């Protein structure tokens, strides 16, 4: 079973920041939090990942709480092309095992 | 630089038949993982191949098998197809040497079993 809990759906106005929450209260100390998104009929696309420090890249920012029990993905200026299903994933196992356990994800609808 | 490529993009089979799906990993990657995604669900891990061997396996029956070739490409085989095998099959590649390396996914093969 997935180790994360996400709201099933969210709306965001175009140009505004989209803040997607994720709970992972049973995360272990060496497990990373990954975010992927999936646009209809395409494969999941990597967004960002982190262990305990906040991370930022060209796509998004990841804020992880100090107790690591939850995190928030921030899309700073959402566009219509950001409409997708967003998956928060805790990576099981050490190193590169390739096994990601996906939950149901959050469907983000960006509206004009 | 080509990403992960999968073939075919769509496939229609009937119950009881066998199917083979193919995947070429991203350049520089040596590890291939396969996922099944039913309609409206998140992808589920099937198995992972590295150095031509199955390294990890999810909760899938033996009807699902795979192979990895010396050039790192991979095949997913499903025997005795069931209606419930209808799904999007995704291939993901990564580099074993990378620590917590991100997975790159292909666009998938849509399998319909009639």
């Amino acid at each position: 079973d997935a180790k994360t809990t996400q709201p099933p759906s969210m709306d965001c106005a175009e140009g505004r920041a989209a803040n997607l929450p994720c709970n992972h209260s049973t995360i272990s100390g060496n497990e990373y939090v990954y975010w992927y998104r999936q646009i209809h009929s395409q494969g999941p696309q990597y967004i960002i990942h982190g262990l305990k420090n906040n991370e930022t890249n060209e796509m998004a920012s990841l804020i992880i709480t100090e107790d690591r029990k939850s995190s928030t993905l921030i899309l700073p200026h959402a566009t219509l092309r950001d409409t997708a299903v967003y998956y928060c994933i805790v990576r099981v196992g050490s190193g590169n095992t390739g096994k990601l356990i996906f939950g149901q994800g959050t469907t983000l609808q960006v509206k004009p | 630089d080509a990403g992960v490529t999968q073939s075919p993009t769509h496939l229609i089979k009937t119950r009881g038949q066998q199917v083979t799906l193919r995947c070429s990993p991203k350049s520089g990657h040596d590890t291939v993982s396969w996922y099944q995604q039913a309609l409206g669900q998140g992808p589920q891990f099937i198995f992972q191949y590295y150095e031509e061997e199955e390294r990890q396996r999810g909760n899938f029956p033996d009807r699902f098998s795979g192979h990895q070739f010396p050039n790192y490409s991979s095949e997913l085989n499903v025997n005795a197809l069931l209606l419930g095998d209808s799904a999007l099959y995704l291939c993901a590649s990564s580099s074993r040497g990378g620590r917590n390396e991100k997975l790159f996914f292909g666009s998938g093969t849509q399998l319909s079993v009639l």
Side-chain angles (χ1 to χ4, degrees):
Chain A
D1 291 340
K3 298 181 70 172
T4 61
T5 304
Q6 299 176 253
S9 63
M10 294 181 62
D11 290 342
C12 177
E14 186 178 21
R16 306 297 290 267
N19 295 276
L20 290 86
C22 179
N23 288 321
H24 32 79
S25 59
T26 62
I27 192 170
S28 299
N30 63 345
E31 291 178 327
Y32 283 69
V33 178
Y34 279 72
W35 284 84
Y36 280 76
R37 73 180 181 183
Q38 188 173 25
I39 297 170
H40 183 63
S41 298
Q42 297 181 22
Q45 177 192 23
Y46 167 84
I47 302 173
I48 199 168
H49 75 280
L51 183 62
K52 52 186 175 182
N53 297 321
N54 296 339
E55 302 287 344
T56 295
N57 63 19
E58 65 279 3
M59 290 182 68
S61 294
L62 173 61
I63 308 298
I64 303 175
T65 58
E66 192 169 344
D67 62 8
R68 302 213 322 126
K69 293 185 177 182
S70 65
S71 60
T72 301
L73 178 74
I74 301 172
L75 308 177
H77 306 287
T79 70
L80 298 179
R81 287 179 293 182
D82 291 322
T83 292
V85 178
Y86 287 76
Y87 294 101
C88 171
I89 301 160
V90 169
R91 189 157 196 173
V92 178
S94 61
N96 180 16
T97 65
K99 180 177 181 178
L100 300 177
I101 299 180
F102 288 79
Q104 299 282 70
T106 295
T107 298
L108 176 68
Q109 182 73 45
V110 180
K111 299 184 175 182
Chain B
D1 176 26
V4 180
T5 58
Q6 294 187 241
S7 64
T9 55
H10 295 82
L11 202 52
I12 299 174
K13 292 286 188 178
T14 56
R15 281 180 298 175
Q17 286 189 311
Q18 178 264 346
V19 68
T20 297
L21 310 181
R22 295 177 176 82
C23 172
S24 292
K26 181 178 169 62
S27 178
H29 285 180
D30 55 10
T31 302
V32 173
S33 303
W34 287 91
Y35 289 77
Q36 179 196 65
Q37 186 173 24
L39 190 64
Q41 304 294 317
Q44 288 194 48
F45 176 76
I46 303 175
F47 43 51
Q48 182 193 49
Y49 276 82
Y50 171 68
E51 290 186 333
E52 304 179 45
E53 290 190 15
E54 184 183 297
R55 300 292 178 171
Q56 264 196 308
R57 189 178 184 92
N59 188 26
F60 280 81
D62 292 344
R63 298 187 298 110
F64 290 77
S65 63
H67 189 77
Q68 185 179 34
F69 300 93
N71 67 353
Y72 309 122
S73 67
S74 177
E75 290 181 348
L76 165 65
N77 301 292
V78 186
N79 294 323
L81 283 168
L82 304 174
L83 296 179
D85 294 332
S86 295
L88 178 68
Y89 288 85
L90 295 160
C91 171
S93 75
S94 56
S95 173
R96 189 77 173 185
R99 185 170 179 275
N100 280 292
E101 187 79 13
K102 49 186 178 278
L103 295 186
F104 288 82
F105 283 84
S107 295
T109 295
Q110 185 65 55
L111 173 65
S112 298
V113 181
L114 306 179

